[in-house]
Short mmCIF file of all heavy atoms in Angstrom, two decimals:
data_model
loop_
_atom_site.label_atom_id
_atom_site.label_comp_id
_atom_site.label_asym_id
_atom_site.label_seq_id
_atom_site.Cartn_x
_atom_site.Cartn_y
_atom_site.Cartn_z
N ALA A 1 -14.13 -8.32 9.62
CA ALA A 1 -14.85 -8.45 10.89
C ALA A 1 -15.89 -9.58 10.85
O ALA A 1 -16.34 -10.05 11.89
CB ALA A 1 -15.53 -7.13 11.23
N ILE A 2 -16.25 -10.03 9.65
CA ILE A 2 -17.21 -11.12 9.49
C ILE A 2 -16.51 -12.45 9.74
O ILE A 2 -15.45 -12.72 9.15
CB ILE A 2 -17.80 -11.11 8.06
CG1 ILE A 2 -18.62 -9.82 7.83
CG2 ILE A 2 -18.65 -12.35 7.80
CD1 ILE A 2 -19.90 -9.75 8.61
N PRO A 3 -17.05 -13.32 10.61
CA PRO A 3 -16.39 -14.60 10.87
C PRO A 3 -16.38 -15.50 9.64
O PRO A 3 -17.27 -15.43 8.79
CB PRO A 3 -17.25 -15.22 11.99
CG PRO A 3 -18.55 -14.49 11.95
CD PRO A 3 -18.27 -13.11 11.42
N ALA A 4 -15.35 -16.35 9.56
CA ALA A 4 -15.16 -17.19 8.37
C ALA A 4 -16.31 -18.18 8.17
O ALA A 4 -16.56 -18.63 7.05
CB ALA A 4 -13.84 -17.95 8.49
N ASP A 5 -17.02 -18.54 9.27
CA ASP A 5 -18.11 -19.51 9.14
C ASP A 5 -19.48 -18.84 8.94
O ASP A 5 -20.52 -19.50 9.07
CB ASP A 5 -18.14 -20.42 10.37
CG ASP A 5 -18.38 -19.67 11.68
OD1 ASP A 5 -18.41 -18.41 11.65
OD2 ASP A 5 -18.53 -20.33 12.72
N HIS A 6 -19.49 -17.56 8.62
CA HIS A 6 -20.76 -16.86 8.35
C HIS A 6 -21.47 -17.58 7.19
O HIS A 6 -20.87 -17.85 6.14
CB HIS A 6 -20.46 -15.40 7.97
CG HIS A 6 -21.68 -14.54 7.86
ND1 HIS A 6 -22.48 -14.53 6.75
CD2 HIS A 6 -22.23 -13.66 8.72
CE1 HIS A 6 -23.46 -13.67 6.92
NE2 HIS A 6 -23.34 -13.13 8.12
N GLN A 7 -22.75 -17.92 7.39
CA GLN A 7 -23.49 -18.75 6.43
C GLN A 7 -23.43 -18.21 5.00
O GLN A 7 -23.23 -18.95 4.04
CB GLN A 7 -24.96 -18.85 6.84
CG GLN A 7 -25.22 -19.66 8.09
CD GLN A 7 -26.70 -19.66 8.46
OE1 GLN A 7 -27.58 -19.54 7.59
NE2 GLN A 7 -26.99 -19.77 9.75
N GLU A 8 -23.60 -16.90 4.86
CA GLU A 8 -23.65 -16.32 3.52
C GLU A 8 -22.27 -16.32 2.88
O GLU A 8 -22.12 -16.60 1.68
CB GLU A 8 -24.24 -14.91 3.59
CG GLU A 8 -25.68 -14.91 4.07
CD GLU A 8 -26.26 -13.52 4.20
OE1 GLU A 8 -25.74 -12.58 3.57
OE2 GLU A 8 -27.26 -13.36 4.93
N LEU A 9 -21.24 -16.02 3.67
CA LEU A 9 -19.88 -16.04 3.15
C LEU A 9 -19.50 -17.46 2.72
O LEU A 9 -18.87 -17.66 1.67
CB LEU A 9 -18.91 -15.52 4.21
CG LEU A 9 -17.51 -15.09 3.76
CD1 LEU A 9 -17.57 -14.05 2.65
CD2 LEU A 9 -16.71 -14.55 4.94
N VAL A 10 -19.90 -18.46 3.52
CA VAL A 10 -19.64 -19.86 3.18
C VAL A 10 -20.34 -20.22 1.86
O VAL A 10 -19.76 -20.89 0.99
CB VAL A 10 -20.12 -20.80 4.32
CG1 VAL A 10 -20.09 -22.26 3.87
CG2 VAL A 10 -19.24 -20.62 5.55
N TYR A 11 -21.58 -19.76 1.70
CA TYR A 11 -22.33 -20.02 0.46
C TYR A 11 -21.59 -19.49 -0.75
O TYR A 11 -21.41 -20.20 -1.76
CB TYR A 11 -23.73 -19.39 0.56
CG TYR A 11 -24.45 -19.31 -0.77
CD1 TYR A 11 -25.14 -20.42 -1.29
CD2 TYR A 11 -24.43 -18.13 -1.53
CE1 TYR A 11 -25.79 -20.34 -2.51
CE2 TYR A 11 -25.07 -18.06 -2.75
CZ TYR A 11 -25.75 -19.16 -3.24
OH TYR A 11 -26.38 -19.10 -4.46
N PHE A 12 -21.15 -18.26 -0.68
CA PHE A 12 -20.45 -17.65 -1.82
C PHE A 12 -19.12 -18.37 -2.09
O PHE A 12 -18.75 -18.60 -3.24
CB PHE A 12 -20.21 -16.16 -1.57
CG PHE A 12 -21.45 -15.32 -1.64
CD1 PHE A 12 -21.87 -14.57 -0.54
CD2 PHE A 12 -22.18 -15.26 -2.81
CE1 PHE A 12 -23.01 -13.80 -0.62
CE2 PHE A 12 -23.34 -14.47 -2.90
CZ PHE A 12 -23.75 -13.75 -1.80
N ARG A 13 -18.42 -18.73 -1.00
CA ARG A 13 -17.13 -19.39 -1.17
C ARG A 13 -17.31 -20.77 -1.81
O ARG A 13 -16.59 -21.14 -2.75
CB ARG A 13 -16.45 -19.51 0.20
CG ARG A 13 -14.98 -19.91 0.12
CD ARG A 13 -14.35 -20.02 1.49
NE ARG A 13 -14.31 -18.74 2.19
CZ ARG A 13 -14.92 -18.48 3.34
NH1 ARG A 13 -15.63 -19.42 3.93
NH2 ARG A 13 -14.82 -17.30 3.91
N GLU A 14 -18.30 -21.54 -1.32
CA GLU A 14 -18.50 -22.91 -1.83
C GLU A 14 -19.03 -22.93 -3.25
O GLU A 14 -18.86 -23.94 -3.96
CB GLU A 14 -19.46 -23.66 -0.90
CG GLU A 14 -18.84 -23.99 0.46
CD GLU A 14 -19.78 -24.76 1.37
OE1 GLU A 14 -21.01 -24.79 1.06
OE2 GLU A 14 -19.31 -25.30 2.39
N ASN A 15 -19.64 -21.83 -3.68
CA ASN A 15 -20.20 -21.80 -5.04
C ASN A 15 -19.33 -21.04 -6.03
O ASN A 15 -19.78 -20.71 -7.14
CB ASN A 15 -21.62 -21.20 -5.00
CG ASN A 15 -22.63 -22.19 -4.43
OD1 ASN A 15 -23.11 -23.06 -5.13
ND2 ASN A 15 -22.93 -22.05 -3.14
N GLY A 16 -18.09 -20.75 -5.65
CA GLY A 16 -17.12 -20.23 -6.61
C GLY A 16 -17.26 -18.78 -7.00
O GLY A 16 -16.81 -18.37 -8.08
N PHE A 17 -17.89 -17.97 -6.15
CA PHE A 17 -18.01 -16.54 -6.44
C PHE A 17 -16.65 -15.85 -6.26
O PHE A 17 -15.81 -16.32 -5.49
CB PHE A 17 -19.03 -15.88 -5.50
CG PHE A 17 -20.45 -16.11 -5.88
CD1 PHE A 17 -21.06 -17.36 -5.68
CD2 PHE A 17 -21.21 -15.09 -6.44
CE1 PHE A 17 -22.38 -17.57 -6.03
CE2 PHE A 17 -22.54 -15.30 -6.80
CZ PHE A 17 -23.12 -16.54 -6.59
N GLU A 18 -16.48 -14.74 -6.97
CA GLU A 18 -15.30 -13.92 -6.72
C GLU A 18 -15.55 -13.10 -5.45
O GLU A 18 -16.50 -12.32 -5.39
CB GLU A 18 -14.99 -13.00 -7.89
CG GLU A 18 -13.77 -12.12 -7.61
CD GLU A 18 -13.04 -11.66 -8.86
OE1 GLU A 18 -13.33 -12.18 -9.94
OE2 GLU A 18 -12.21 -10.76 -8.72
N ILE A 19 -14.68 -13.29 -4.46
CA ILE A 19 -14.85 -12.65 -3.16
C ILE A 19 -13.63 -11.78 -2.90
O ILE A 19 -12.49 -12.25 -3.00
CB ILE A 19 -15.00 -13.70 -2.04
CG1 ILE A 19 -16.19 -14.63 -2.34
CG2 ILE A 19 -15.18 -13.04 -0.68
CD1 ILE A 19 -16.29 -15.81 -1.40
N GLN A 20 -13.85 -10.51 -2.57
CA GLN A 20 -12.74 -9.59 -2.36
C GLN A 20 -12.91 -8.82 -1.05
O GLN A 20 -14.03 -8.53 -0.63
CB GLN A 20 -12.62 -8.59 -3.52
CG GLN A 20 -12.28 -9.21 -4.85
CD GLN A 20 -12.00 -8.17 -5.92
OE1 GLN A 20 -12.03 -6.96 -5.67
NE2 GLN A 20 -11.72 -8.63 -7.13
N LYS A 21 -11.77 -8.48 -0.43
CA LYS A 21 -11.76 -7.54 0.69
C LYS A 21 -11.81 -6.11 0.14
O LYS A 21 -11.57 -5.88 -1.05
CB LYS A 21 -10.51 -7.73 1.54
CG LYS A 21 -10.46 -9.03 2.31
CD LYS A 21 -9.36 -9.04 3.36
CE LYS A 21 -7.99 -9.17 2.75
NZ LYS A 21 -6.95 -9.40 3.79
N ARG A 22 -12.08 -5.17 1.03
CA ARG A 22 -12.18 -3.77 0.62
C ARG A 22 -10.92 -3.30 -0.11
O ARG A 22 -11.00 -2.64 -1.15
CB ARG A 22 -12.43 -2.88 1.85
CG ARG A 22 -12.50 -1.40 1.54
CD ARG A 22 -12.84 -0.59 2.78
NE ARG A 22 -12.91 0.82 2.47
CZ ARG A 22 -11.89 1.66 2.56
NH1 ARG A 22 -10.70 1.22 2.95
NH2 ARG A 22 -12.03 2.94 2.26
N ALA A 23 -9.74 -3.68 0.41
CA ALA A 23 -8.49 -3.24 -0.22
C ALA A 23 -8.35 -3.77 -1.64
O ALA A 23 -7.84 -3.09 -2.53
CB ALA A 23 -7.30 -3.69 0.64
N GLN A 24 -8.83 -4.99 -1.87
CA GLN A 24 -8.77 -5.56 -3.22
C GLN A 24 -9.69 -4.80 -4.17
O GLN A 24 -9.34 -4.60 -5.34
CB GLN A 24 -9.19 -7.03 -3.18
CG GLN A 24 -8.22 -7.95 -2.48
CD GLN A 24 -8.78 -9.34 -2.33
OE1 GLN A 24 -9.38 -9.67 -1.31
NE2 GLN A 24 -8.59 -10.18 -3.33
N VAL A 25 -10.85 -4.39 -3.67
CA VAL A 25 -11.78 -3.63 -4.52
C VAL A 25 -11.17 -2.29 -4.92
O VAL A 25 -11.25 -1.87 -6.07
CB VAL A 25 -13.12 -3.41 -3.80
CG1 VAL A 25 -14.07 -2.58 -4.67
CG2 VAL A 25 -13.76 -4.75 -3.46
N LEU A 26 -10.53 -1.63 -3.95
CA LEU A 26 -9.86 -0.37 -4.27
C LEU A 26 -8.77 -0.61 -5.32
O LEU A 26 -8.54 0.22 -6.20
CB LEU A 26 -9.27 0.25 -3.01
CG LEU A 26 -10.28 0.73 -1.95
CD1 LEU A 26 -9.55 1.27 -0.73
CD2 LEU A 26 -11.21 1.80 -2.53
N GLY A 27 -8.10 -1.75 -5.22
CA GLY A 27 -7.10 -2.10 -6.23
C GLY A 27 -7.72 -2.26 -7.60
O GLY A 27 -7.17 -1.78 -8.61
N THR A 28 -8.88 -2.90 -7.65
CA THR A 28 -9.60 -3.04 -8.93
C THR A 28 -9.93 -1.66 -9.50
O THR A 28 -9.77 -1.41 -10.70
CB THR A 28 -10.90 -3.84 -8.72
OG1 THR A 28 -10.57 -5.15 -8.24
CG2 THR A 28 -11.67 -3.98 -10.03
N LEU A 29 -10.36 -0.74 -8.63
CA LEU A 29 -10.70 0.61 -9.11
C LEU A 29 -9.47 1.32 -9.67
O LEU A 29 -9.59 2.08 -10.64
CB LEU A 29 -11.32 1.43 -7.97
CG LEU A 29 -12.66 0.94 -7.43
CD1 LEU A 29 -13.17 1.87 -6.35
CD2 LEU A 29 -13.69 0.82 -8.55
N THR A 30 -8.29 1.09 -9.08
CA THR A 30 -7.09 1.75 -9.61
C THR A 30 -6.66 1.17 -10.95
O THR A 30 -5.94 1.82 -11.70
CB THR A 30 -5.89 1.66 -8.62
OG1 THR A 30 -5.55 0.28 -8.39
CG2 THR A 30 -6.19 2.33 -7.31
N ARG A 31 -7.12 -0.03 -11.26
CA ARG A 31 -6.79 -0.60 -12.58
C ARG A 31 -7.80 -0.17 -13.63
O ARG A 31 -7.49 -0.18 -14.83
CB ARG A 31 -6.73 -2.13 -12.48
CG ARG A 31 -5.48 -2.62 -11.75
CD ARG A 31 -5.37 -4.13 -11.73
NE ARG A 31 -6.32 -4.74 -10.80
CZ ARG A 31 -6.13 -4.85 -9.49
NH1 ARG A 31 -5.01 -4.37 -8.94
NH2 ARG A 31 -7.02 -5.42 -8.72
N GLN A 32 -9.02 0.19 -13.19
CA GLN A 32 -10.06 0.60 -14.14
C GLN A 32 -10.09 2.12 -14.33
O GLN A 32 -10.63 2.61 -15.31
CB GLN A 32 -11.43 0.13 -13.64
CG GLN A 32 -11.50 -1.36 -13.37
CD GLN A 32 -11.33 -2.21 -14.61
OE1 GLN A 32 -11.81 -1.84 -15.67
NE2 GLN A 32 -10.64 -3.32 -14.50
N HIS A 33 -9.55 2.85 -13.35
CA HIS A 33 -9.47 4.31 -13.42
C HIS A 33 -8.00 4.74 -13.32
O HIS A 33 -7.12 3.89 -13.23
CB HIS A 33 -10.25 4.95 -12.25
CG HIS A 33 -11.72 4.66 -12.26
ND1 HIS A 33 -12.60 5.37 -13.05
CD2 HIS A 33 -12.46 3.77 -11.56
CE1 HIS A 33 -13.84 4.91 -12.83
NE2 HIS A 33 -13.77 3.94 -11.94
N LYS A 34 -7.77 6.03 -13.33
CA LYS A 34 -6.43 6.54 -13.05
C LYS A 34 -6.34 6.82 -11.55
O LYS A 34 -6.92 7.79 -11.05
CB LYS A 34 -6.16 7.82 -13.85
CG LYS A 34 -6.01 7.56 -15.36
CD LYS A 34 -5.71 8.84 -16.11
CE LYS A 34 -5.48 8.54 -17.59
NZ LYS A 34 -5.22 9.78 -18.37
N GLY A 35 -5.65 5.94 -10.85
CA GLY A 35 -5.57 6.04 -9.40
C GLY A 35 -4.54 7.05 -8.94
O GLY A 35 -3.36 6.94 -9.28
N LEU A 36 -4.97 8.04 -8.19
CA LEU A 36 -4.09 9.02 -7.55
C LEU A 36 -4.03 8.65 -6.08
O LEU A 36 -4.98 8.90 -5.33
CB LEU A 36 -4.62 10.45 -7.74
CG LEU A 36 -4.92 10.88 -9.18
CD1 LEU A 36 -5.43 12.32 -9.21
CD2 LEU A 36 -3.70 10.72 -10.08
N CYS A 37 -2.94 8.02 -5.66
CA CYS A 37 -2.87 7.41 -4.34
C CYS A 37 -1.89 8.16 -3.44
O CYS A 37 -0.90 8.71 -3.93
CB CYS A 37 -2.45 5.95 -4.46
SG CYS A 37 -3.55 4.98 -5.54
#
């Protein structure tokens, strides 16, 4: 829902931060825990 030109999102993108959507974070949790989906 956040626009692509949001100042803070642009800052993180231009400075090489790891940026994830909610679904990607849940994916990370299933790799670090035992995911019952």
Side-chain angles (χ1 to χ4, degrees):
I2 295 291
D5 61 354
H6 189 280
Q7 291 177 29
E8 297 178 21
L9 196 55
V10 170
Y11 166 82
F12 288 120
R13 192 180 295 119
E14 290 181 345
N15 285 278
F17 281 74
E18 179 154 349
I19 303 172
Q20 295 187 2
K21 291 192 287 189
R22 178 176 180 269
Q24 291 173 267
V25 178
L26 294 177
T28 299
L29 295 182
T30 61
R31 287 184 286 278
Q32 305 295 323
H33 297 279
K34 290 181 177 178
L36 307 180
C37 304

